Amino acid sequence: VSGAVTRVEYHAGKFLPAYKKEAGELNEWTEVWFNRPGGPIVVRQIVGILARRIVCRLKPGDQVAAGDRFGVMKFGSRIDMFLPRTATILVKAGDKVVGAETTIATLAR
């Protein structure tokens, strides 16, 4: 997504396997808020049982373009995305997605 970073928030937490539903709330995570026409997008980087460190290179005020890399996580971590209700989701559970390559959704402008 392209837009301005409005908020970056870190949350200390546990290190449950990232595939567990409760990991999104209980595990360590960093959340990045992007302001864009049509509403904000929120991306949450969540660590898992092996990856115990998140590197987020963004700060409020940064401008990003779709496909830009902004951090590093490895070994079973996950990303949760919070999209506006008007988004058209293009992937489904079980699809393989690749950062900066796979289009996750189309967004209203």
Side-chain angles (χ1 to χ4, degrees), residues 9-31 44-54 73-80:
E9 183 178 320
Y10 169 77
H11 175 271
K14 297 182 178 186
F15 300 99
L16 303 171
Y19 62 82
K20 291 188 173 254
K21 184 176 182 176
E22 61 271 20
E25 292 295 324
L26 299 177
N27 281 16
E28 181 172 309
W29 51 259
T30 297
E31 201 169 75
R44 184 180 290 173
Q45 299 171 287
I46 304 165
V47 297
I49 196 166
L50 294 176
R52 294 180 175 245
R53 185 166 170 247
I54 298 168
M73 294 186 319
K74 295 182 180 181
F75 307 118
S77 298
R78 86 178 201 216
I79 295 282
D80 286 357

